[in-house]
Amino acid sequence: MARVKRGVTTHARHKKIVDMAAGYRGRSSTNFRIAIEKVEKGLQYAYRDRRNRKRTFRGLWIQRINAGVREHGLTYSQFMNGIKRAGIDIDRKVLSDLAIREPEAFRALVEKARGALSGAD
């Protein structure tokens, strides 16, 4: 029976893992056995954090909107309630951007929200 020579396949598999571990510290970047563990853990973190990033950014946008709205005498929850009642459908990402880059446009939105709140009471 012929001898199976898999050096090429094994080398390619090892190289793929070690290349993914480039930039890790110590033997994690050069030793295959250690690199496997570190790369697998890194991929788990990447998978988890792709979802966590969405939560993190939403929280950031809410903080920015809240800061912008408080300058005009409302709270975040009052503002969002007023925006919904006024029929304005803008997501938090855009509202946050407006609060930072376009204060005049954001002020107009706050006034509309305030008007919708006072009209509903």
Side-chain angles (χ1 to χ4, degrees):
M1 193 168 199
R3 186 173 76 139
V4 177
K5 298 173 73 177
R6 282 195 292 234
V8 174
T9 309
T10 303
H11 182 71
R13 190 168 53 88
H14 286 209
K15 187 174 184 318
K16 183 173 78 171
I17 295 293
V18 171
D19 283 347
M20 288 176 77
Y24 291 5
R25 294 182 64 130
R27 284 195 306 164
S28 302
S29 65
T30 55
N31 186 296
F32 175 68
R33 280 191 183 182
I34 297 173
I36 285 176
E37 296 173 7
K38 301 296 184 181
V39 166
E40 284 180 353
K41 191 65 173 179
L43 291 172
Q44 288 173 0
Y45 286 140
Y47 179 84
R48 179 197 70 192
D49 291 339
R50 278 194 296 275
R51 280 129 192 93
N52 287 354
R53 179 174 54 210
K54 294 164 182 59
R55 299 176 209 162
T56 305
F57 270 103
R58 182 182 168 96
L60 175 66
W61 298 331
I62 288 172
Q63 289 172 14
R64 287 177 174 175
I65 294 167
N66 193 15
V69 164
R70 284 182 185 269
E71 291 178 356
H72 302 293
L74 284 177
T75 64
Y76 170 78
S77 59
Q78 291 169 339
F79 173 69
M80 292 308 286
N81 186 19
I83 285 285
K84 295 285 186 276
R85 287 187 181 183
I88 300 170
D89 191 30
I90 302 178
D91 64 4
R92 288 165 180 79
K93 180 178 179 180
V94 174
L95 284 171
S96 163
D97 198 46
L98 284 175
I100 294 169
R101 292 189 170 84
E102 302 287 339
E104 293 303 317
F106 188 72
R107 175 178 315 202
L109 285 174
V110 170
E111 293 307 320
K112 287 203 175 193
R114 183 176 279 130
L117 283 175
S118 63
D121 289 336

